[in-house]
Amino acid sequence: MSETHNPKNEPFSNAEKDPDDWTTGDEAMTGAQASYLKTLSEEAGEEFDESLTKAEASKRIDALQEQTGRGR
């Protein structure tokens, strides 16, 4: 009997998916993303762009986390 690969055995595999590959990445960012992004933007002294998509917001959050030292 051969073992079948089960993605459910890797609960964090989707967390590593590139935002550019998200099927819903072109939708408006979520409320949670907007709230966190606004906080990060203020801490970094950067402008908050409320028109970002989910994917763009995710990438911006990553960049601002690096800049502010959050999320480590």
Side-chain angles (χ1 to χ4, degrees), residues 2 7-9 16 18-20 22-24 26-27 30-31 37 42 46 48 51 54-55 58 62 65 68 71-72:
S2 66
K8 290 183 180 181
N9 291 335
E16 298 300 320
D18 187 327
D20 290 329
W22 294 354
T23 57
T24 60
D26 59 349
E27 294 178 2
T30 66
L37 191 51
E42 289 171 1
E46 300 281 338
F48 170 67
S51 68
K54 282 182 185 179
S58 179
D62 288 345
Q65 282 180 324
T68 62
R72 291 185 187 174

Side-chain angles (χ1 to χ4, degrees), residues 42-72:
E42 289 171 1
E43 285 184 12
E46 300 281 338
E47 189 173 322
F48 170 67
D49 182 354
E50 62 187 43
S51 68
L52 297 177
T53 64
K54 282 182 185 179
E56 291 167 338
S58 179
K59 289 188 250 182
R60 186 74 177 132
I61 287 168
D62 288 345
L64 289 174
Q65 282 180 324
E66 277 292 318
Q67 190 174 334
T68 62
R70 278 186 170 246
R72 291 185 187 174

